[in-house]
DNA sequence: TCAGGGTTGATTATCGATAACCATTGAAGC
DNA sequence: GCTTCAATGGTTATCGATAATCAACCCTGA
């Protein structure tokens, strides 16, 4: 094999990941190790490693001696992810505020791109910049485990998967929710920024529910606690 | 090979994990695939899978073509973990409260064992029941992703690793902190329980700092925000 | 003495083949 | 017809060997 800078397993992982995201491999699709190995002109070994990695990303499921399948992401799981994300980002804002006080140049730049993408109704761009925005705040918190936990939610993956199905009809309004967050961080007010981020995640969750599980499962609300920030900001 | 109910890779993973935890394999130890394979009478393949799993647990580090090493857990990482744990458990309490209201029999049972272990100064038991306690609350939140994020912190592992070095000198006092948490949950007051859990994590973090990095790194505080619950409970 | 570059030993990454395993099927017994 | 169980086909789990890669060492020439 020629000079390979990335391992075979990594290459296979990337391709399969992309296919799952763009819907080429819909949920339920069976992933046969030898079949994939044949396609990528490799042996079974790197395929197994790639599948294991996808398993960690929760993109596939596997059963011993039974095989590996593409995993669907349920509306319920999506809602759960929003709830956890809200809590993690609230914490991130509180930790990041001292560092970002008077130093939000990068954040504002991302915000501009986000707003521009929203105005042009550019979904792809919106998702990208939105992820950059939240990621930047989390990284600014300077807590490696927090960053890793946030990444492990695989939120970008989830969103990109579902984006190929249905997307938010009103991107500009959604993008505008990010403005006061930057303002609060610029002033070093982490508590307010945190509450705004939490509310933002919750709002996204509710919009998600409206668009997908229209009125479904009202018996088991995931998190309908009162948005505390409403009172603070009024 | 005889009738194996668990895979070789899983068996190897468990043994190595235990050795890392109990200090048989101290941080920095190099893990040679073929050497381990020889010891476990297997080929390199299941060893590789085991090492990959340990890598996901952040117990080892590996570099391409360079090998795998046992990873140390720094005091800083330990503090980071406490901060994230506090946020996740605060959320867990809020979500779990409706479910646990008037239904904390299991929690109280665990609490009794926890208090008993603390009184007997039984470290092993304390760690076990303490983990059960927090785990029970997280599971009661009925949010799979939250549970997984919490598990991914690998808190039990971290504590068990460091437990073999130095442990909390006053277990009963620490155990007693759990009592008001159960009380709040029994009344369905998730907000209070959440704040108590957050404070509890923070207190653990500060005790940790006192015992380990005595007065070190005062320049970069991880999270010294005021414990909000103090005001609420007064 | 020292810098550069090829060589070697050690180790991981990958391979192709085999063993272990599960679900299904179909025949035999009831 | 229904149940039981052994044979079968398809797939994963594991194997032992080879290729790829890296770091350290040893030359060589200045």
């Amino acid at each position: 094999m020629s000079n390979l800078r990335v391992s075979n397993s990594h290459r296979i992982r990337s391709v399969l990941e992309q296919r799952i995201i763009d819907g080429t491999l819909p949920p339920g699709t069976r992933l046969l190790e030898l079949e994939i190995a044949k396609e990528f002109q490799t042996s079974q070994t790197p395929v197994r490693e790639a599948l294991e990695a996808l398993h960690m990303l929760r993109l596939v499921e596997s059963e011993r001696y039974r095989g590996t399948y593409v995993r669907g992401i349920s509306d319920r799981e999506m809602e759960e992810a929003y709830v956890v994300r809200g809590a993690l980002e609230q914490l991130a804002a509180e930790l990041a505020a001292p560092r970002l006080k008077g130093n939000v140049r990068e954040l504002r730049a991302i915000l501009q791109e986000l707003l521009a993408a929203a105005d042009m109704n550019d979904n792809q761009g919106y998702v990208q910049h939105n992820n950059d925005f939240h990621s930047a705040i989390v990284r600014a918190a300077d807590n490696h485990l927090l960053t890793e936990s946030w990444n492990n939610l695989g939120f970008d993956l989830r969103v990109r998967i579902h984006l190929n199905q249905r997307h938010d009809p009103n991107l500009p309004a959604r993008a505008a929710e990010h403005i006061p967050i930057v303002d609060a961080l610029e002033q070093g007010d982490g508590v307010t920024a945190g509450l705004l981020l939490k509310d933002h995640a919750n709002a996204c969750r509710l919009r998600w529910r409206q668009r997908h599980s229209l009125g479904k499962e009202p018996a088991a609300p995931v998190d309908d606690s009162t948005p505390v920030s409403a009172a603070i900001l009024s």
Side-chain angles (χ1 to χ4, degrees), chain A:
Chain A
M1 293 266 162
S2 58
N3 181 11
L4 35 108
R5 335 199 90 191
V6 298
S7 64
N8 268 333
S9 57
H10 189 277
R11 186 175 114 252
I12 296 171
R13 188 191 75 83
S14 301
V15 174
L16 292 182
E17 178 183 319
Q18 186 53 42
R19 287 187 191 164
I20 293 174
I21 288 171
D22 67 20
T24 307
L25 295 171
T29 305
R30 192 164 186 192
L31 299 175
L32 300 186
E33 296 181 354
L34 285 175
E35 187 179 298
I36 296 170
K38 195 165 72 177
E39 176 189 344
F40 286 91
Q41 308 257 1
T42 72
S43 78
Q44 192 186 358
T45 311
V47 176
R48 280 178 65 80
E49 300 194 344
L51 291 180
E52 176 59 20
L54 293 174
H55 180 72
M56 290 296 174
L57 290 172
R58 288 185 284 281
L59 289 177
V60 304
E61 275 178 328
S62 33
E63 267 179 293
R64 189 170 154 77
Y65 286 115
R66 300 259 295 107
T68 302
Y69 300 83
V70 177
R71 191 169 156 292
I73 294 180
S74 66
D75 289 332
R76 155 146 191 183
E77 181 178 348
M78 203 65 195
E79 292 204 37
E80 288 187 353
Y82 275 115
V83 173
V84 178
R85 181 167 96 141
L88 290 179
E89 293 189 1
Q90 180 178 22
L91 172 64
E94 291 171 9
L95 296 178
R99 260 173 262 272
L100 292 177
K101 186 173 185 178
N103 181 26
V104 291
R105 196 181 315 265
E106 184 200 354
L107 222 44
R108 286 228 184 268
I110 298 173
L111 180 59
Q112 285 312 313
E113 297 193 86
L114 180 66
L115 293 169
D119 274 337
M120 296 165 59
N121 214 38
D122 168 17
N123 251 283
Q124 188 96 19
Y126 180 86
V127 170
Q128 176 67 51
H129 298 308
N130 181 65
N131 198 63
D132 288 347
F133 182 88
H134 291 271
S135 176
I137 294 176
V138 170
R139 268 185 291 105
D142 194 33
N143 179 317
H144 290 210
L145 271 172
L146 173 58
T147 303
E148 193 156 343
S149 294
W150 188 83
N151 283 331
N152 280 345
L153 283 179
F155 221 85
D156 55 330
L157 293 184
R158 291 170 208 288
V159 171
R160 266 149 59 202
I161 288 173
H162 282 282
L163 197 74
N164 292 312
Q165 299 169 10
R166 237 173 303 177
H167 66 267
D168 197 306
N170 193 354
L171 287 186
R174 196 159 157 184
E177 289 180 16
H178 297 81
I179 300 175
I181 295 171
V182 180
D183 293 341
L185 288 172
E186 184 166 32
Q187 296 179 254
D189 184 352
V191 173
T192 298
L195 291 169
L196 285 169
L197 272 166
K198 183 181 167 189
D199 287 352
H200 173 63
N202 198 48
C204 289
R205 182 178 70 77
L206 293 176
R207 274 192 292 262
W208 178 271
R209 166 176 290 191
Q210 279 192 334
R211 270 178 293 136
H212 290 260
S213 54
L214 286 161
K216 277 183 204 162
E217 53 174 318
V222 179
D223 179 22
D224 281 334
S225 61
T226 315
V228 193
S229 60
I232 291 185
L233 293 173
S234 61

